[in-house]
Amino acid sequence: MLTIKNLQAGIEGKTILKGIDLNVKPGEVHAIMGPNGSGKSTLAQVLAGRPEYEILAGAVDFLGKDLLEMAPEERAREGLFLAFQYPVEIPGVNTSYFLRTALNEIRAYRGDTKMSPGDFLKMIREKLKLVEMDAAFLNRSVNEGFSGGEKKRNEVLQMAVLQPRLAILDETDSGLDIDALKVVADGVNKLRSKDNAFIVVTHYQRLLNYIVPDFVHVLYDGRIVQSGDKSLALQLEANGYDAIKTAAMA
Amino acid sequence: MEPSQTSWVEERSLLRRDPANPFLDVQKRALEQFQRSGFPGARDERWRFTDVSGIANGNWSTATERAATSALDLQLPSWRGEGLCIVFVDGLFQPQWSRLHSEDGAVELTPFSQLQGDLIDVISRRMKETGQIEDQPFLNLNTALMDEGVVIRIADGVQLAAPVTMLYYHTAGLDKTYHPRNVIIMGAEAQAAVIEYYHAASGEHYFRNPVTDIHVGDESRLRHYVLQRESDSAQHVSFTRSTQGRNSLYTRFAIDSGAALARHDLVVELQGEGGEAVLDGLYMPQGRQHVDHHTTVRHLQPRTFSRQLYKGVLNDAAHAVFNGRIHVAREAQKTDAIQYNRNLLLSDDAVADTQPQLEIFADDVRCTHGGTIGQLYEDGLFYLRARGIGEETARHIMVHAFAGEVTDRIQDAALRDQVNRWVLERLGWEE
Ligand SMILES: Nc1ncnc2c1ncn2[C@@H]1O[C@H](COP(=O)(O)OP(=O)(O)OP(=O)(O)O)[C@@H](O)[C@H]1O
Ligand SMILES: [Mg+2]
């Protein structure tokens, strides 16, 4: 589904990703861990197409297409979704209008008809229940004044509405209380299927108790320095990144 | 000052030396003041971003007769509503399209050409007082060359539902100049809305130099809209003064979407305790358009409040200037003054200059000011696109939301809808 080969990218003349290789197949969940500043969000943003980043080398294939050639909106329409580490506040843009516009643009791209306001409302009410959000959020500006946890739930809500093939969750668990964490994990697990895949960026093994990964990767200084199964996360939780940092410096 | 620069002004002022002119003295004084200063140049601090040499050296037509209005298919704008209105076409008052009196006589519109009796004294006194404001060459120019205008008197306690509208149209004729004078005098405990609309039916070159002089009485509320939709080749230089009584509220919304050069000087004097001024502006220059707002808010009494929010959407090689001067007098304790100027630059060639100027002599005062926007816009744009929304639509949504912060506050619904349509039209997104 997603094949990343030797991806190198940077910003403002600084190289951040120094050669990433990763292969994600349908139905899989990959967890990416790693110390602060190692490049996890950069990888996520580069995959989503943030224009500020410069691609220096490498290739990314997504569902048989050259991902790096596509505009951000095309990537989303092809089924890529990024849950932002820091969701953006957009004053003056109504959440419901935003979601409906996004959904209808994606539907139009896939050749589906627009969803009527009535059907949209019915659908969105179901999804709100899934993430335990109040319908009042729909009438507020996108993320404006939302608490940290509410912003994260809103990311999961958008994912549930847009039904991506590949979702990248960038620290969606950070800043969540235990109940919210379960809500987010439930949201993800409801979407899991043999056709969909997830890349979950997290600092905490805790989330991986709820969203059980098939693979765990450690990103350090712009490279994946170690990969393993879910036991790697437990090991990191117990021992920290010291061993990895030392090995990388040697 | 180059003598040649003011020669057309002197020549023009002679045409107004009619002994029957009740404002002759005021006008002579204004001309003298203007002659002393001349047109401002690049060395004048308050004009260093705005070049008015095109006005100073203009080859302005001296023709006094105006276009035949019968040829004009003038459509009164639908947002005007049912309120009183006064219409000027090519500088001439148009009684057939104007509605000057409310049935109960509580509100009265009088064209300058029809002023009589005590109203003349009231206006003369006001003109003399306003004429003492320093460093306002275009105020003096207007007074010296005043051609038409209107006096709007709103009696004590009047609650006007529909806005009063002043419509100034340019329809024909090259290189004309207009110097209209508007005076709004509100009594105590009154409520009203007044719209000033400047528009052209053609893309010709002309110079409009309006002055609007307002008094909002004690406990009164005025909503004031200034809609500048001149021809894209026009030059528009305005001066507005608002004096406010105790616990009064002056709410202003100004939009600029026309004129090659637009410059607005606004002086608000909070003369009564508890007075409030809420000043909003939206400008959307494109091409090589230049728009400049210079505001001065004078907090003269305790517990006065002012809030300014000027927003710009700049395209192409447009240039916008905002200079906000906040003056807090020693006795104006417990004053709150907020000033924001936010510009969205849609092109690398667009330039916005912002200069806040705080002059605070009281010590129990809160003053803040804000800056520009850019990263917020880019972040929002990417967020929308990452959800599958196309780039054009995403820009549309972001800019509309940015402008919406000021346009959504327009209380008069028909006007608000119209302004929103103009915003879309201006951005090329007519629907
Ligand atoms: N615009 C930028 N200019 C310069 N450096 C940047 C910029 N954006 C990111 N970086 C740098 O790139 C590096 C990687 O950042 P990134 O956000 O990808 O880390 P991360 O692994 O997601 O960290 P965290 O766990 O703290 O979220 C950091 O050193 C960061 O400071
Ligand atoms: Mg990060």
Side-chain angles (χ1 to χ4, degrees), chain A residues 40-41 85 170-171:
Chain A
K40 303 180 298 296
S41 293
Q85 181 175 4
D170 190 0
E171 295 199 27

PDB file of all heavy atoms in Angstrom, chain A residues 40-41 85 170-171, ligand 2:
ATOM      1  N   LYS A  40       9.827  12.373  13.411  1.00  0.00           N
ATOM      2  CA  LYS A  40       8.567  11.628  13.245  1.00  0.00           C
ATOM      3  C   LYS A  40       7.488  12.502  12.585  1.00  0.00           C
ATOM      4  O   LYS A  40       6.846  12.096  11.610  1.00  0.00           O
ATOM      5  CB  LYS A  40       8.069  11.118  14.614  1.00  0.00           C
ATOM      6  CG  LYS A  40       9.099  10.248  15.344  1.00  0.00           C
ATOM      7  CD  LYS A  40       8.599   9.752  16.687  1.00  0.00           C
ATOM      8  CE  LYS A  40       8.296  10.862  17.698  1.00  0.00           C
ATOM      9  NZ  LYS A  40       9.476  11.649  18.098  1.00  0.00           N
ATOM     10  N   SER A  41       7.308  13.708  13.132  1.00  0.00           N
ATOM     11  CA  SER A  41       6.298  14.597  12.537  1.00  0.00           C
ATOM     12  C   SER A  41       6.703  15.036  11.143  1.00  0.00           C
ATOM     13  O   SER A  41       5.859  15.199  10.260  1.00  0.00           O
ATOM     14  CB  SER A  41       6.091  15.833  13.406  1.00  0.00           C
ATOM     15  OG  SER A  41       5.508  15.456  14.629  1.00  0.00           O
ATOM     16  N   GLN A  85      -0.308  16.350  14.830  1.00  0.00           N
ATOM     17  CA  GLN A  85       0.141  16.459  16.220  1.00  0.00           C
ATOM     18  C   GLN A  85      -0.404  17.751  16.832  1.00  0.00           C
ATOM     19  O   GLN A  85      -0.812  17.772  17.985  1.00  0.00           O
ATOM     20  CB  GLN A  85       1.679  16.448  16.286  1.00  0.00           C
ATOM     21  CG  GLN A  85       2.205  16.532  17.715  1.00  0.00           C
ATOM     22  CD  GLN A  85       3.725  16.398  17.800  1.00  0.00           C
ATOM     23  OE1 GLN A  85       4.427  16.314  16.790  1.00  0.00           O
ATOM     24  NE2 GLN A  85       4.238  16.373  19.019  1.00  0.00           N
ATOM     25  N   ASP A 170      -0.351  11.229  14.318  1.00  0.00           N
ATOM     26  CA  ASP A 170       0.856  11.808  14.913  1.00  0.00           C
ATOM     27  C   ASP A 170       0.574  12.214  16.353  1.00  0.00           C
ATOM     28  O   ASP A 170      -0.018  13.263  16.605  1.00  0.00           O
ATOM     29  CB  ASP A 170       1.323  13.003  14.071  1.00  0.00           C
ATOM     30  CG  ASP A 170       2.712  13.490  14.504  1.00  0.00           C
ATOM     31  OD1 ASP A 170       3.294  12.911  15.448  1.00  0.00           O
ATOM     32  OD2 ASP A 170       3.202  14.454  13.878  1.00  0.00           O
ATOM     33  N   GLU A 171       0.975  11.376  17.271  1.00  0.00           N
ATOM     34  CA  GLU A 171       0.787  11.621  18.712  1.00  0.00           C
ATOM     35  C   GLU A 171      -0.649  11.987  19.053  1.00  0.00           C
ATOM     36  O   GLU A 171      -0.897  12.914  19.820  1.00  0.00           O
ATOM     37  CB  GLU A 171       1.733  12.713  19.203  1.00  0.00           C
ATOM     38  CG  GLU A 171       3.183  12.284  19.097  1.00  0.00           C
ATOM     39  CD  GLU A 171       4.104  13.127  19.974  1.00  0.00           C
ATOM     40  OE1 GLU A 171       3.617  13.646  20.993  1.00  0.00           O
ATOM     41  OE2 GLU A 171       5.285  13.238  19.633  1.00  0.00           O
TER      42      GLU A 171
HETATM   43 MG    MG C   2       6.261  15.281  16.453  1.00  0.00          MG
END
